[in-house]
């Protein structure tokens, strides 16, 4: 059990470091940093008649969404204490990346931030209610997806 906790702690630390590195890189536009943007590699139209969705100005939120999905999965299993612990990882990563993300698209940043805050509030309640936590984590994922054009 101790080795599992140690592994989770190391994984959390590595995740936060990776997100901080991502956030540091997010402070420059893709054209300046030399990275290709998603729009540059995605065709302008497709033959499947799916509306063309542009990438968020916030950039790639997949690392944050992965943590949010973990939290949602834990809530779905009824493991609210583990979900409360895991959402702390999201809070730390999101807050650490704020300086690089918020200036890019403050409106969408606030949408996601508010949804994360709602999930944090539900999970940190004195007596968390599973249904409220599930709704809050679902809303958090929807907010992330909406700003990513999904």
């Amino acid at each position: 059990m101790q080795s599992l906790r140690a592994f989770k702690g190391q994984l959390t630390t590595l995740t936060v470091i990776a997100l901080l590195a991502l956030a540091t890189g997010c402070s420059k536009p893709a054209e300046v940093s030399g990275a290709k943007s998603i729009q540059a590699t995605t065709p302008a139209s497709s033959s499947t008649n799916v509306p063309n969705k542009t990438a968020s100005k916030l950039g790639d939120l997949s690392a944050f969404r992965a943590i949010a999905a973990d939290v949602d999965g834990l809530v779905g299993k009824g493991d609210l204490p583990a979900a409360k612990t895991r959402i702390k990882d999201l809070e730390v990563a999101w807050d650490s990346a704020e300086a690089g993300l918020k200036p890019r698209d403050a409106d969408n940043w606030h949408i996601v931030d508010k949804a994360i805050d709602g999930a944090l509030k539900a999970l940190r309640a004195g007596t968390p209610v599973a249904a409220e936590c599930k709704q809050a984590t679902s809303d958090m994922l929807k907010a992330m997806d909406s700003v990513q054009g999904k």
Side-chain angles (χ1 to χ4, degrees), residues 18-60:
L19 290 171
L20 287 173
L22 175 67
T24 303
C26 288
S27 62
K28 297 179 183 176
E31 294 78 24
V32 174
S33 66
K36 291 184 180 179
S37 71
I38 293 173
Q39 292 173 340
T41 60
T42 305
S45 64
S46 76
S47 60
T48 59
N49 293 329
V50 175
N52 185 20
K53 296 181 180 179
T54 59
S56 167
K57 292 178 188 175
L58 290 174
D60 183 9

Side-chain angles (χ1 to χ4, degrees), residues 23 26-27 56-59 61 64 94-113:
C26 288
S27 62
S56 167
K57 292 178 188 175
L58 290 174
L61 301 181
F64 302 108
W94 184 253
D95 289 347
S96 296
E98 178 180 358
L101 295 175
K102 191 174 180 181
R104 298 173 129 217
D105 188 350
D107 292 338
N108 280 330
W109 183 88
H110 281 291
I111 289 169
V112 175
D113 188 62

Side-chain angles (χ1 to χ4, degrees), residues 7-147:
F7 174 74
K8 283 183 177 181
Q10 291 172 347
L11 181 61
T12 299
T13 302
L14 290 174
T15 301
V16 170
I17 290 170
L19 290 171
L20 287 173
L22 175 67
T24 303
C26 288
S27 62
K28 297 179 183 176
E31 294 78 24
V32 174
S33 66
K36 291 184 180 179
S37 71
I38 293 173
Q39 292 173 340
T41 60
T42 305
S45 64
S46 76
S47 60
T48 59
N49 293 329
V50 175
N52 185 20
K53 296 181 180 179
T54 59
S56 167
K57 292 178 188 175
L58 290 174
D60 183 9
L61 301 181
S62 62
F64 302 108
R65 194 188 187 291
I67 299 171
D70 287 350
V71 173
D72 187 59
L74 290 166
V75 169
K77 292 177 184 175
D79 193 350
L80 300 183
K84 180 180 175 181
T85 299
R86 184 68 171 131
I87 201 165
K88 177 70 176 176
D89 298 334
L90 177 60
E91 179 184 33
V92 169
W94 184 253
D95 289 347
S96 296
E98 178 180 358
L101 295 175
K102 191 174 180 181
R104 298 173 129 217
D105 188 350
D107 292 338
N108 280 330
W109 183 88
H110 281 291
I111 289 169
V112 175
D113 188 62
K114 184 177 177 181
I116 292 171
D117 288 345
L120 284 164
K121 181 179 177 184
L123 286 163
R124 290 178 175 166
T127 305
V129 177
E132 291 174 8
C133 293
K134 183 63 180 165
Q135 184 62 54
T137 57
S138 178
D139 291 347
M140 177 176 59
L141 288 170
K142 288 177 188 172
M144 289 182 179
D145 289 345
S146 73
V147 302

